[in-house]
Amino acid sequence: MQIGIEMDNLITYYIVAGSIVLIGLIAALLAFLEKDKRVPLVFLTIAILWLGFYIGVLWYKVGHAPLRTLGETRLWYAFFLLFVGSILYLRWEYKWILIFSVLMADLFLVFNMIYPENFDTALMPALQSYWFVPHVIVYIFAYSMLSIATLFSLKGLYQMRKKRWNNQSLNIIDNLVYIGFAFVTFGIIFGAMWAKEAWGHYWSFDPKETWALITWLMYLLYLHYRKFKNQNDRITLIILILAFLMLLMCWFGVNYLPAAAKSIHVY
Amino acid sequence: MQNITRKRLFLPSHWRPKSYKSKLLIFLIKLSNSKYLYTFVLMNKLVRNFWQIPWKLKQAFVIALCFPMAGLLLDLVIGRNSVWIPQFPYNLIIFLLFIASIGLIFFFYKKSQLVQFLSSIPATISSITIFIGVLLLMGLIPQHPESSPFAIQLRLNDILHSGIFLFSLIYLLIILTFTIFTRIYPFRWRNMGFLLNHIGLLIILGGATMDSSDLYRLKMVCGYNTPIWYGTNQDGKQYKLPFAVELKKFHIDYYDPELVLIDRESNEAVKTKVKPDAYIKKGKTIKFDDKIKVTIDTFYRHAFESKKIFLPAERPGNTQAVKVRVYETESKKTVKGWVSAGSFIQYPHRIKLKHYDLGLAPPKPKKYSSEFKLYEPDQEPRTITLVVNKPVRSMGWKLYQVSYDTRKGKWSEYTVIEAVKDPWLPLVYIGFFMLLAGVFLLTWQSANWNRNG
Ligand code: HEM
């Protein structure tokens, strides 16, 4: 069975993604105008449910978890960004975090509209495993958390420049990183166990694996640096930003590296 | 004070001023180059030796850097594989001795500054950073024999087996082990998360390192009806196995093929602005950017060409073939014809259009499996099926489907499997589960969701 995104399905995608982008923007605008926080949250809930429903239908239609291609992972990424953004907004009422996560989610959805060829449905044999869904979902969730932590650190650096820095933000950054780190750890270990099933060994220092380990260690460095007595807030934030750059490298960058020309992870 | 020599008149670079006052003084001394001022500084302890205890971040980094440097030096002097990891039981003995000696040192010299340093956060930060640095080299420099000449000369094209890697790992392990001992006794429940994380990681790293010398991954190329009881490792060395396998059947399913526009010059598939769903289904019409309309009249999964037309036939060398009608809006003409991806004995068939060729992309494998007869000593032979992602166990080994003759596909005359023996796997998995439990506890305990407003 393979049903790709057919032309008329593509139109469905335009409609679904377009409406979600719009609802997200409205929610962001309402948050920006400092309306009652329940109002943007209602809009966001609708967007999340709508996107979740679409992913569910896609899953049903293609007959496997829609997680094989970059295009499909972007859908999940948008989904979790909206979700995490709403939760953080609900908890701390940081309007700009909501605005950023909506904008990023929208960016991912729009990206798919511009490059619909990302939806290619052929699933190669090594990917046909029950490890696939937990591995990728856990990673995507971690990435959403860590990208929001990165936004906080960029904002922090900006505040330092403006001399408005208040190290209270490090508390929320810590929380985000702890959760993100836990999920990255799960992702990397699930990946290792999957590799054992699929390729015979849990760790072969394939470039993608090397970069995943670098990413994990960068966040580990952050956690320990936070225990350092003479820590410098600026360095703390910079470690976090570098860690996120490593994460991006692991996620897309690896495919373009000469070092990865022979990688088994580059499809 | 005892470290300070009086021979030189300038201040050694590793002396650090303690305060702004002393900074100013040092500046003055440098200006005057006066013996008296110089002694004054020494007598009043206004500078401190870089290596004076307690060591902080800078010293930690200098020490940490020494490890990969020593490894590199060893590799350059003694040659590649100057450091290697022995096989069982020596690797285990070394690992246990390592932990025991650190335990003893810790037990007897708990109060010493050195031991305190070795379980300190600055040491941790330096060891993790240096290890990341080595991994960055590994991630950026191609790790195979055809790497750049410079990398090959410095032996940076196989960092995993270099002294650089091993030594920085050892430094990490030393710090990690000392750290663990600081919290192990007396045992407290609130240290549980810490212990699970740190011991878990130690077990994983130790287990994986021992694995690197005791792991067997043997490729077996199996032709039909030939029992095979040996495998070849990456270096081409053959090993005998305690069992034998005999290939009985090889099966492969393909995804249905996809129509593509091919650029005649580059011979590559053209990216259209909107990717059509180009999968083949009889009666379907596929549009490429509204310029080319393809209608599918016939689709054979197994076919042979005979005098420009395809006939269904399933035998070695068959190919997928599709009969189409192509309408080009530009020329307002309809062309009819066959397209096929070809096979190891048939040429591909394409249809020439105004700007491009219309062709069929080679089919992608969906699932492949091999059926074997497995012979184990003192047992009835049994039939096993190997599929990607579903290894089969036999006598302490695991068998994996790896590959086949991709050129011949369905008609491949052999299948490639891998026999893997991984004696340290249970240990590594224990470490995995400890780490998973540990990060869960860590996040649970430290997510102080109430602070902050
Ligand atoms: C490379 C390996 C590691 C080294 C060398 C290392 C080293 C250290 C050291 C020296 C401390 C200070 C202990 C203290 O404050 O008394 C520490 C604390 C800590 N480490 Fe690690 N660690 C490593 C790996 C990990 C991992 C994998 C995790 C978590 C997944 C972790 C989590 C922690 C936490 C949470 C603390 C603080 C404990 C507390 O203050 O209660 N470490 N580590």
Side-chain angles (χ1 to χ4, degrees), chain B residues 179-197:
Chain B
T179 311
I180 291 169
F181 278 111
T182 59
R183 299 273 184 107
I184 227 168
Y185 183 83
F187 177 78
R188 294 215 172 79
W189 275 106
R190 68 181 151 84
N191 285 344
M192 196 61 193
F194 175 92
L195 289 176
L196 280 172
N197 280 323

Side-chain angles (χ1 to χ4, degrees), chain B residues 8 23 300:
Chain B
R8 302 201 208 132
K23 222 176 207 169
Y300 295 139

